[in-house]
Amino acid sequence: SKELDRSTFVQAISNQPRTLLGLETKELQEGAQADLCVWDAEAKWIPQEAYKSAGARNTHLWKQEIRGKVVASIRASDVNLY
């Protein structure tokens, strides 16, 4: 399988979705509000039935080990750890 370099990956999961939705792209700057997703590229996990409640119903990966996981999200002062 072909792997993406970090720069391409970050662009694909950050600004590209905003561009596709017609939203303004943002940059991380000192003093600006940040919406961030903390990604652990080495974390391994297995999708289970409980994830279906989060809207993840259409996947062929049920009960298969996946590498890479969101471990935290930060929006303004709201921090969520997963």
Side-chain angles (χ1 to χ4, degrees), residues 2-82:
K2 184 178 177 182
E3 290 192 23
L4 295 174
D5 62 80
R6 282 186 198 252
S7 178
T8 302
F9 175 75
V10 169
Q11 181 66 24
I13 66 168
S14 59
N15 283 331
Q16 189 59 27
R18 294 185 68 82
T19 299
L20 292 172
L21 293 170
L23 302 172
E24 174 187 356
T25 58
K26 297 185 176 188
E27 293 186 23
L28 190 56
Q29 297 177 345
E30 184 177 342
Q33 179 177 322
D35 297 337
L36 301 174
C37 169
V38 180
W39 175 264
D40 182 347
E42 300 302 318
K44 295 178 181 176
W45 63 288
I46 299 173
Q48 301 291 332
E49 295 295 317
Y51 291 103
K52 286 186 176 184
S53 64
R57 291 179 172 82
N58 187 17
T59 182
H60 64 285
L61 300 173
W62 290 119
K63 300 181 182 175
Q64 295 182 41
E65 185 173 85
I66 298 173
R67 194 177 98 197
K69 182 178 182 183
V70 173
V71 294
S73 64
I74 305 165
R75 181 172 183 162
S77 61
D78 185 24
V79 177
N80 296 291
L81 304 175
Y82 307 103

